[in-house]
Each structure stands twice: as structure tokens, then as C-alpha cells.
């Protein structure tokens, strides 16, 4: 039998990966983990590919028990992470013995925590991704009592001196706090807001309860569009800061539709999308203007830090004779006619 995780308390937990980039031509959003940085680091810490399936735990408490020894990593927002009621560190690999209970409670200063397992977890794949799509009805939202199979059994983990390996890989941890600073570059309709465009950077905006994975609604001193012409529907990127009529900003996230017709004042940078994915209702978000060159530099720096962490992980795994896992995805066949039906279904929703 395959090794499994038995879910005792699911809360709001889904099996996620990094989504479906490049599928906009089918009318499908990218979806995937909202805090991509934390998800990538969790997988790297367990030796997995960055886009391997893992658990995204949102806001509520979670607990599970493995049927065999496993190596896990917990990243994302600060939380109380324990194994059989013993506190364990986030952002480092942790060994959990068969039958011990993993608990993640008290999520704070953010809203999402990521749990990766060595060898990755079993999840059906649609168009190369296990990311849920609520409109298509695809994806796995966990329930109490569910069992999740682990793709590859964890090898015996032993240290030649200390018996149980203790890891100190120093993964770079982002800042979590009451206020969230989000970097943006200029949007295509910036000039249409005249002097009021500066309001985006002059004060904070509050995330409202109507926010979700499709987009975040924010209240505050909203810039006003001076132009009166219509904006034709066109393709919009993840991170577009839209200004619809009214007193709210709409910041599109990974579940956004691929087209929209509101003016786009700014676009959130790739690195700041993860910070935005941790924003919760009532939190203050401040926007910071950046050039495209600065945004590209920040992205390259982040990629460098993840690659350096992967190198450290592989050196430690080699020293402990832990092979790098190569999970096999579980595809869901989608014939062309079925894909067309799914796209048509989504366009009518």
C-alpha cells in the first residue's frame, strides 16, 4: 500500500501547485498557489520540483497523520506548527515519524501556509496542473477523514552522529506584518487618471471581505479616471490594478478571467504577487511604484535565492544519502471536445 496522509482537520485546505501558465488561449486562468514564493520554497526544502503538488492551508487550523515516516516542510504565514504537540520550525525540513500528528494552528500576519511532503502528494492533473478551478469544478478541496497518497516513500532518515538529522538550511523568509507593501509598475491607462493617479501611492488601501483568489477588492482614496471613453475588453495580466466605477480598487490575482474592460492603472510585479496572496480582509496594503527594470531585477534576485537554497538542499541530501524524488504526475485525460465544453462552460459563468 502507498504511504498516506490521513486528514483529521481539513479547515480550508486544497491540493495546489503553481498553476497553468500559457493556457489563456483556452480562456483558462493560471490559478495555482497564491503565495508562489512560499510554495516554491516548501517544495525545494523537501527536494521536490518547484511545481510539485502540495497543500495550501488557508486561515483555519489543520491536522494530519502520516502512515509512514515522512520529511515535510511548512512555509508561508507564521503559525503554530507542532508534531505530537512539540513545536517545530517553519521554513526548514522536518522529520515526522509514522503515527505522529502534524498540527498547524493560529495562522497570523498572513492567511496561507504551505505544507510540502518529500516525494509530493498524489493529485489528478488537468492540462499539466492539479490547481483547482472552481468554475470548471476541478481540483481537490480536502475534507476531514480524507487520505492523500504520497508519490514516493521517504527513505530511512538517519544522521551518522546525531541519529535524527536536524536541518538548518536558512531559507530566505519574507516579511509578514500588519501592513503589506506591494510593488507595481505603470499600467496602460495611467495617463488617463491625471494627477489623481498619485493617490495609489499616497495612502493605504484596506482589503475588503469580498476578496478571493480571483481578485482583491480594496477600499480607500481611489484614483479617478478623467477620460470618458469606453475601455474595450482585452487581455489582462495577473496583478492588474483595475479601477471600476465606484469607491474600490480591484486587483486581479491568479484566478482572474483572461479578459476585462476596466481601466488598468498599474500592474503588480511578479515578486509582490506572493505578498498580495497573503493579504487578508481588514489588512492595509500600500502600493509602491517601481520601474520595469527594478521589477525584473527583484525577480532575478528572488530566483537566485531559490536556486542557491536548492543547491544547499541537494548537498545536505547527498550527505545523508537521501535521493532527490522524481514524482510521476497523475493525468486526467481531456479530449478536445471535452476541453471545448469546459471552456464554453467557463465563458458562460
Amino acid at each position: 500500500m502507498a504511504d498516506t496522509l490521513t486528514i483529521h482537520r481539513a479547515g480550508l485546505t486544497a491540493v495546489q501547485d503553481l498553476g497553468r501558465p500559457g493556457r489563456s488561449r483556452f480562456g483558462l486562468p493560471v490559478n495555482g498557489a497564491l503565495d508562489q514564493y512560499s510554495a516554491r520554497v516548501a517544495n525545494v526544502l523537501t527536494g521536490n520540483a518547484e511545481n510539485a503538488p502540495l497543500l495550501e492551508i488557508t486561515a483555519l487550523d489543520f491536522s494530519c497523520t502520516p502512515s509512514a515516516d515522512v520529511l515535510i516542510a511548512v512555509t508561508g504565514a507564521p503559525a503554530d506548527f507542532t508534531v505530537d504537540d512539540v513545536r517545530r520550525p517553519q521554513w526548514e525540513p522536518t522529520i515526522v515519524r509514522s503515527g505522529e500528528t502534524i498540527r498547524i494552528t493560529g495562522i497570523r500576519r498572513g492567511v496561507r501556509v504551505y505544507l510540502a511532503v518529500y516525494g509530493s502528494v498524489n493529485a489528478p492533473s488537468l492540462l499539466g496542473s492539479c490547481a483547482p478551478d472552481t468554475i470548471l469544478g476541478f481540483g481537490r478541496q480536502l475534507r476531514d477523514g480524507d487520505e492523500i497518497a504520497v508519490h514516493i516513500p521517504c527513505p530511512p532518515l538517519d544522521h551518522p552522529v546525531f541519529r535524527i538529522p536536524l536541518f538548518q538550511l536558512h531559507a530566505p523568509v519574507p516579511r509578514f506584518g500588519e501592513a503589506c507593501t506591494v510593488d507595481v509598475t505603470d499600467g496602460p491607462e495611467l495617463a488617463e487618471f491625471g494627477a489623481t493617479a498619485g493617490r495609489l501611492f499616497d495612502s493605504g488601501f484596506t482589503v475588503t471581505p469580498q476578496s478571493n483568489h480571483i481578485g482583491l477588492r480594496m477600499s480607500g482614496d481611489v484614483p479617478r479616471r478623467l477620460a470618458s471613453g469606453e475601455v474595450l475588453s482585452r487581455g489582462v495580466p495577473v496583478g492588474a490594478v483595475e479601477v471600476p466605477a465606484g469607491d474600490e480598487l480591484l486587483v486581479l490575482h491568479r484566478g482572474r478571467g483572461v479578459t476585462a474592460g476596466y481601466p488598468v492603472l498599474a500592474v503588480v510585479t511578479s515578486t509582490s504577487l506572493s505578498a498580495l496572496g497573503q493579504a487578508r480582509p481588514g489588512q492595509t496594503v500600500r502600493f509602491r511604484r517601481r520601474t520595469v527594470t527594478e521589477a525584473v531585477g527583484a525577480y532575478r534576485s528572488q530566483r537566485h535565492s531559490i536556486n542557491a537554497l536548492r543547491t544547499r538542499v541537494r548537498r545536505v541530501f547527498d550527505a545523508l544519502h537521501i535521493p532527490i524524488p522524481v514524482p510521476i504526475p497523475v493525468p486526467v485525460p481531456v479530449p478536445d471536445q471535452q476541453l471545448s465544453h469546459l471552456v464554453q462552460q467557463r465563458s458562460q459563468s
Side-chain angles (χ1 to χ4, degrees):
M1 294 179 61
D3 298 337
T4 61
L5 297 179
T6 299
I7 308 301
H8 304 302
R9 190 170 186 177
L12 294 175
T13 301
V15 182
Q16 280 281 16
D17 58 18
L18 301 184
R20 300 179 182 86
R23 300 297 180 177
S24 294
R25 60 195 174 98
F26 296 129
L28 298 176
V30 63
N31 280 312
L34 289 192
D35 182 352
Q36 297 260 305
Y37 177 76
S38 294
R40 289 177 187 272
V41 170
N43 270 323
V44 169
L45 287 170
T46 52
N48 297 333
E50 290 181 31
N51 63 343
L54 78 171
L55 305 188
E56 182 180 64
I57 302 160
T58 302
L60 303 182
D61 294 349
F62 170 87
S63 65
C64 69
T65 299
S67 64
D69 294 356
V70 292
L71 179 68
I72 68 171
V74 175
T75 62
D80 298 320
F81 165 38
T82 63
V83 176
D84 268 5
D85 297 324
V86 177
R87 193 72 174 263
R88 297 296 178 89
Q90 290 180 251
W91 298 88
E92 293 287 356
T94 298
I95 295 172
V96 180
R97 299 302 184 188
S98 173
E100 294 182 332
T101 299
I102 303 163
R103 288 187 177 88
I104 297 170
T105 60
I107 299 173
R108 54 196 177 272
R109 289 189 284 153
V111 74
R112 291 178 174 85
V113 167
Y114 294 87
L115 190 159
V117 183
Y118 174 93
S120 183
V121 295
N122 190 354
S125 175
L126 174 66
L127 297 176
S129 170
C130 73
D133 188 307
T134 54
I135 294 180
L136 294 182
F138 175 80
R140 187 169 185 185
Q141 192 79 26
L142 299 183
R143 298 179 180 179
D144 296 355
D146 280 355
E147 290 189 349
I148 307 175
V150 178
H151 265 308
I152 299 174
C154 189
L157 298 175
D158 201 5
H159 191 282
V161 177
F162 303 110
R163 304 301 303 169
I164 299 175
L166 300 175
F167 299 90
Q168 290 186 336
L169 293 165
H170 305 291
V173 181
R175 181 179 178 181
F176 294 90
E178 293 305 317
C180 174
T181 300
V182 173
D183 291 341
V184 297
T185 56
D186 292 348
E189 280 80 48
L190 175 68
E192 296 185 6
F193 290 84
T196 72
R199 297 179 187 176
L200 186 68
F201 312 106
D202 293 339
S203 60
F205 292 81
T206 302
V207 179
T208 72
Q210 289 71 38
S211 301
N212 55 27
H213 69 291
I214 295 174
L216 287 82
R217 294 187 179 272
M218 301 183 186
S219 61
D221 189 11
V222 178
R224 299 298 175 186
R225 183 172 179 248
L226 305 181
S228 58
E230 292 290 331
V231 177
L232 298 178
S233 292
R234 68 279 166 87
V236 288
V238 175
V241 181
E242 295 187 326
V243 187
D247 296 321
E248 288 183 328
L249 290 178
L250 178 59
V251 186
L252 302 183
H253 219 295
R254 299 184 64 81
R256 62 86 175 93
V258 299
T259 60
Y262 293 128
V264 176
L265 176 62
V267 179
V268 178
T269 65
S270 295
T271 51
S272 280
L273 278 172
S274 291
L276 198 62
Q278 290 289 357
R280 62 190 186 280
Q283 187 172 9
T284 298
V285 172
R286 299 190 69 95
F287 293 96
R288 182 170 55 188
R289 194 174 187 179
R290 287 289 183 261
T291 65
V292 172
T293 300
E294 290 171 329
V296 170
Y299 176 77
R300 288 175 175 170
S301 177
Q302 186 180 86
R303 290 302 314 163
H304 175 76
S305 67
I306 292 175
N307 290 338
L309 175 64
R310 183 188 297 106
T311 298
R312 295 196 297 274
V313 168
R314 288 183 173 177
R315 286 173 179 169
V316 169
F317 278 27
D318 286 345
L320 297 174
H321 306 292
I322 303 173
I324 299 298
V326 183
I328 302 173
V330 180
V332 174
V334 183
D336 291 342
Q337 62 271 24
Q338 183 181 355
L339 178 59
S340 299
H341 172 71
L342 293 176
V343 173
Q344 183 179 13
Q345 175 186 340
R346 187 177 233 292
S347 65
Q348 294 172 350
S349 301

